[in-house]
Amino acid sequence: MYNAVAEPQRRRILALLRTGQKAASEIADALALAPSPTSKHLRVLRQVGLVSVREDGRHRHYTLNAQPLREVHAWTGGFEQFWSENFDRLEAYVEELGHLEDDHATD
């Protein structure tokens, strides 16, 4: 699962599918990818259960199954406090630098 969503193109596919079912050709066009790499990405997403496929003649239509992403969300959510604290420290440091520049400008 984590390897599947680590790839940027696959995350873009998942984002596209948030708005509803899409044909493989629509996905390829939206990402400006050739059909072969698009199919490869969709196959990986299907294997981990993030998308389902419905065949309609020669066309394949993909739908997002976000349920497996709960595990990823729960894990990454644990880092929210870490990032928040780091950004707060960074903001304080940048403010401090600004004050030092102001002090030097008035000297």
Side-chain angles (χ1 to χ4, degrees), residues 2-3 7 12 21 24 30 36 42 48 61 67 71 76-77 98:
Y2 292 98
N3 286 335
E7 209 288 325
R12 291 179 64 203
Q21 185 180 86
S36 181
L42 288 166
V48 299
H61 300 274
Q67 181 66 30
E71 178 184 334
T76 58

Side-chain angles (χ1 to χ4, degrees), residues 17-76:
L17 293 175
R18 282 190 307 206
T19 61
Q21 185 180 86
K22 303 256 185 298
S25 59
E26 289 178 85
I27 295 168
D29 290 345
L31 299 180
L33 284 176
S36 181
T38 302
S39 293
K40 179 184 173 191
H41 289 307
L42 288 166
R43 183 174 52 252
V44 170
L45 293 171
R46 196 173 64 243
Q47 286 172 342
V48 299
L50 287 171
V51 299
S52 58
V53 63
R54 179 182 61 83
E55 295 188 27
D56 182 19
R58 291 182 29 196
H59 302 283
R60 292 176 178 221
H61 300 274
Y62 291 85
T63 305
L64 175 65
N65 175 21
Q67 181 66 30
L69 289 173
R70 285 180 181 247
E71 178 184 334
V72 175
H73 177 68
W75 183 75
T76 58

